[in-house]
Amino acid sequence: MEGASYARMPRVKIRELKDDYMKFELRDTDASVANALRRVMISEVPTIAIDLVEIEVNSSVLNDEFIAHRLGLIPLTSERAMAMRFSRDCDACDGDGQCEYCSVEFHLRVKCMTDQTLDVTSKDLYSSDHTVVPVDFSGGDPSSVESADGRGIIIVKLRRGQELRLRAIARKGIGKDHAKWSPAATVTFMYEPEIHINEDLMESLSLEEKKEWIDSSPTRVFDIDPVTQQVSVVDAEAYSYDDEVIKKAEAMGKPGLVEITAKQDSFIFTVESTGAVKASQLLLNAIEIVKQKLDAVRLSEDTVEADDQFGELGAHMRGG
Amino acid sequence: MNAPDRYERFVVPEGTKKVSYERDTKIINAASFTIEREDHTIGNILRMQLHKDPNVLFAGYKLPHPLQYKIIIRIHTTSQSSPMQAYNQSINDLDKELDTLKSGFEAELLKFSKDY
């Protein structure tokens, strides 16, 4: 009893791709799918983050839990995360979450011996697994904050005589559990705007009026050709659905000067990653997770059987 | 102190079924599916996919309460189909759509890294 298929054939086009940033177009699908992907990227794609900290010595100015919290927020390279086990369903270590299948151990030992303040950074963390290390941002953009000295993420600062010694366990988790496991810095999507200028109405405006109307848009969506004095759309996607140009046209007594619609089946996504996984991999992982979630909500055999029996009973009751 | 464990939001408790099915007692071909530990992510894509099926007369989902981690999907179909059939069909179709999306993106990624 297989019915017809109503599956769509979505198309994707990448516009911009960097390790931690991606912009792409998604077409021929609807907002529910776009939003599912966005939600999953933010809160359900797994990463690895420090989850348990045992402090041996801490004579720094920050208290133990403050440092433990800061350690948790450090992004760790998490290509392994999809294949790793959650500690809570790892059978190799009876759920104490300290075995190689479900955890990674880190050590940190720093003591300040000089009169100069010592920065303890993510680079002082030593990992038991070379594939899971604090994310290194210094290779990228030279204008980024920390590549100025290329020294990782600061955890705490020590003065002479102060010491920090600890052991940390990193585990697999998802953003729903705690935001430290979220691989996404931001994920957004917008409908692709479609802008039509009513040329006849536009030509009824004077040059001054045209300029005034163009300037009413908070973002630079329209421009005017200095020679022909024709108004054209220069960047449709700069439009933020603020309706300012529409209100302005009405205020000028020219309603319908421009018509702007959102294309319901076309989206522009921007994905920024924390560096735990590459932006492109983040989308692929998200697709995989949605598929897994769908698979998990399939009806089980016993539910179907129970209904078959109930169905006969129901048929009797209905006099069938 | 007495806060519930955080994982209770997404781990189905032991002895509970992920999906349970309940027929409507009054209307033929109407039923509710209760899905444990799921939210708008699954609820909304299933609802929208069900709307594509011409045999589905009604499809809706609700999250009864933000602290009850379950959703309820209600489906009403014509006599040509059944809620269970429509439900399975929508999952299969979404799965197919995601496969298309995945292979499309992988091809695009390959093309993009070559041009780079």
Side-chain angles (χ1 to χ4, degrees):
Chain A
M1 274 229 301
E2 264 306 290
S5 172
Y6 307 108
R8 285 165 296 212
M9 303 285 269
R11 290 177 293 137
V12 263
K13 186 169 177 283
I14 300 174
R15 285 219 189 136
E16 225 182 311
L17 183 63
K18 284 186 242 160
D19 278 357
D20 60 352
Y21 178 84
M22 174 167 64
K23 192 165 192 165
F24 67 96
E25 297 161 6
L26 176 65
R27 290 172 203 280
D28 299 338
T29 187
D30 73 4
S32 68
V33 171
N35 197 38
L37 287 173
R38 183 192 65 84
R39 286 173 64 97
V40 167
M41 279 193 257
I42 291 169
S43 68
E44 292 188 66
V45 171
T47 66
I48 300 161
I50 289 174
D51 194 34
L52 186 92
V53 182
E54 278 173 12
I55 293 186
E56 285 171 45
V57 178
N58 173 21
S59 52
S60 77
V61 290
L62 300 184
N63 59 46
D64 295 1
E65 32 282 83
F66 201 127
I67 289 173
H69 178 239
R70 287 182 69 75
L71 288 169
L73 294 175
I74 295 169
L76 306 174
T77 51
S78 306
E79 279 78 25
R80 247 190 81 190
M82 284 295 273
M84 219 165 128
R85 292 179 191 166
F86 284 108
S87 289
R88 61 171 176 275
D89 40 45
C90 175
D91 39 25
C93 58
D94 315 323
D96 59 350
Q98 307 218 352
C99 72
E100 57 183 313
Y101 300 107
C102 68
S103 69
V104 179
E105 197 173 301
F106 286 84
H107 284 274
L108 184 143
R109 301 169 155 268
V110 196
K111 186 169 187 181
C112 179
M113 304 301 279
T114 61
D115 274 333
Q116 211 183 5
T117 313
L118 179 72
D119 292 350
V120 181
T121 71
S122 57
K123 296 220 163 137
D124 294 311
L125 279 168
Y126 288 97
S127 170
S128 66
D129 179 345
H130 69 278
T131 60
V132 181
V133 290
V135 169
D136 183 12
F137 291 101
S138 56
D141 182 12
S143 66
S144 77
V145 191
E146 51 152 311
S147 63
D149 47 352
R151 302 232 292 117
I153 300 160
I154 294 180
I155 298 161
V156 67
K157 293 183 178 185
L158 301 179
R159 63 171 289 176
R160 185 192 261 285
Q162 291 179 339
E163 187 182 7
L164 183 61
R165 224 161 58 209
L166 56 86
R167 186 175 86 101
I169 303 288
R171 295 191 179 122
K172 174 180 173 173
I174 59 172
K176 232 184 199 181
D177 193 343
H178 190 289
K180 70 183 175 187
W181 276 299
S182 176
T186 46
V187 182
T188 64
F189 70 86
M190 70 179 279
Y191 289 110
E192 185 174 63
E194 213 169 15
I195 304 178
H196 292 291
I197 297 172
N198 185 328
E199 297 295 345
D200 293 339
L201 262 179
M202 186 57 80
E203 282 320 302
S204 69
L205 296 181
S206 69
L207 181 59
E208 283 304 303
E209 284 175 313
K210 282 180 184 171
K211 281 185 176 158
E212 196 187 324
W213 180 76
I214 289 167
D215 290 338
S216 74
S217 176
T219 49
R220 223 177 75 88
V221 179
F222 305 96
D223 205 1
I224 190 160
D225 189 302
V227 187
T228 61
Q229 297 189 3
Q230 273 220 325
V231 176
S232 61
V233 179
V234 284
D235 186 4
E237 280 160 35
Y239 183 63
S240 53
Y241 295 97
D242 46 53
D243 277 0
E244 289 297 327
V245 284
I246 294 165
K247 282 184 207 149
K248 181 69 181 173
E250 277 167 20
M252 292 166 85
K254 307 275 180 191
L257 179 65
V258 68
E259 196 188 329
I260 306 177
T261 47
K263 285 174 82 176
Q264 296 296 315
D265 62 347
S266 231
F267 310 92
I268 299 148
F269 264 84
T270 53
V271 178
E272 282 179 58
S273 147
T274 58
V277 286
K278 283 183 181 173
S280 54
Q281 191 60 45
L282 179 52
L283 178 68
L284 286 170
N285 289 358
I287 295 171
E288 198 49 47
I289 300 278
V290 181
K291 276 168 63 79
Q292 285 172 14
K293 283 171 78 80
L294 280 170
D295 215 38
V297 301
R298 278 178 203 278
L299 290 164
S300 55
E301 285 296 321
D302 52 324
T303 320
V304 179
E305 271 169 36
D307 181 59
D308 283 344
Q309 287 167 3
F310 182 79
E312 277 166 36
L313 195 76
H316 283 300
M317 289 194 313
R318 287 192 293 270
Chain B
M1 290 266 272
N2 60 353
D5 288 318
R6 280 197 313 244
Y7 62 77
E8 282 194 17
R9 293 179 57 188
F10 47 86
V11 178
V12 182
E14 256 173 76
T16 320
K17 262 181 159 176
K18 180 81 178 169
V19 190
S20 50
Y21 169 89
E22 200 185 338
R23 264 176 199 247
D24 192 289
T25 50
K26 295 200 176 85
I27 307 165
I28 307 168
N29 280 326
S32 300
F33 298 80
T34 306
I35 308 177
E36 282 294 334
R37 313 289 127 143
E38 289 296 344
D39 57 15
H40 302 284
T41 307
I42 287 298
N44 201 27
I45 50 171
L46 283 179
R47 175 182 75 107
M48 293 310 282
Q49 188 63 44
L50 284 162
H51 287 169
K52 298 211 149 275
D53 187 338
N55 284 320
V56 170
L57 300 174
F58 174 85
Y61 83 99
K62 67 175 174 184
L63 188 85
H65 191 279
L67 294 176
Q68 285 176 353
Y69 307 114
K70 63 174 184 191
I71 54 167
I72 297 167
I73 298 179
R74 191 177 152 77
I75 305 171
H76 186 177
T77 67
T78 62
S79 55
Q80 311 300 310
S81 183
S82 74
M84 221 178 241
Q85 197 188 328
Y87 179 84
N88 289 333
Q89 175 79 44
S90 71
I91 292 175
N92 291 339
D93 287 345
L94 277 169
D95 200 57
K96 225 180 278 174
E97 173 171 347
L98 287 164
D99 279 333
T100 321
L101 185 61
K102 191 176 179 185
S103 52
F105 183 72
E106 278 167 343
E108 181 72 9
L109 208 59
L110 209 67
K111 204 174 84 191
F112 206 83
S113 49
K114 248 183 224 163
D115 295 346
Y116 216 37

